Amino acid sequence: QVQLVESGGGLVQAGGSLRLSCAASGDTLCIHAMGWYRQTPGKERELIAGITTAGSTNYTDSVKDRFSLSRDNAKNTLILQMNSLKPEDTAVYYCNAVSRCAGSRYMSDWGRGTQVTVSP
């Protein structure tokens, strides 16, 4: 199992930037992929950016060219740099890790989320 702790959310004006961090602990060597999701009230949680252990990244169209993923492998931390933020980016952002240790089933673990609010 992987434990995830997000940080870096907050209030920012439209056009501004925020940097979210997701610190992973536990079975980090078993991680296959990590990603950032976001959720607004009444809507399903959506994947906005993901990265595999090989370093392959993917982004949903609404954040492409504005958000970027990076990893600090020494600190087991996933970073989401968010630029040119828009009010519609307002949501709770969750970090997710998919892992599978030898002989075990796939696990999907979540952080508690961090609120991002973008004012007009």
Side-chain angles (χ1 to χ4, degrees):
Q1 192 172 14
V2 177
Q3 292 78 45
L4 303 168
V5 178
E6 302 102 334
S7 61
L11 173 64
V12 65
Q13 286 188 329
S17 298
L18 281 175
R19 182 182 170 96
L20 303 185
S21 295
C22 173
S25 60
D27 293 326
T28 57
L29 293 179
C30 301
I31 293 175
H32 284 220
M34 295 184 71
W36 284 96
Y37 290 69
R38 67 186 181 189
Q39 188 172 26
T40 55
K43 293 189 176 181
E44 291 189 359
R45 198 171 294 186
E46 64 164 342
L47 175 65
I48 59 167
I51 186 168
T52 67
T53 51
S56 176
T57 57
N58 64 282
Y59 302 90
T60 193
D61 287 345
S62 62
V63 307
K64 204 171 292 184
D65 299 327
R66 298 188 298 124
F67 292 8
S68 65
L69 281 172
S70 61
R71 292 180 303 192
D72 183 337
N73 292 326
K75 297 181 180 179
N76 288 321
T77 299
L78 180 67
I79 296 165
L80 181 68
Q81 179 66 43
M82 306 188 295
N83 299 324
S84 302
L85 282 161
K86 304 176 181 179
E88 51 263 44
D89 294 319
T90 296
V92 178
Y93 284 69
Y94 296 91
C95 182
N96 172 266
V98 175
S99 62
R100 183 170 182 253
C101 294
S104 301
R105 60 184 175 88
Y106 277 98
M107 300 281 290
S108 179
D109 295 299
W110 296 91
R112 292 189 175 184
T114 184
Q115 176 71 45
V116 171
T117 303
V118 184
S119 63

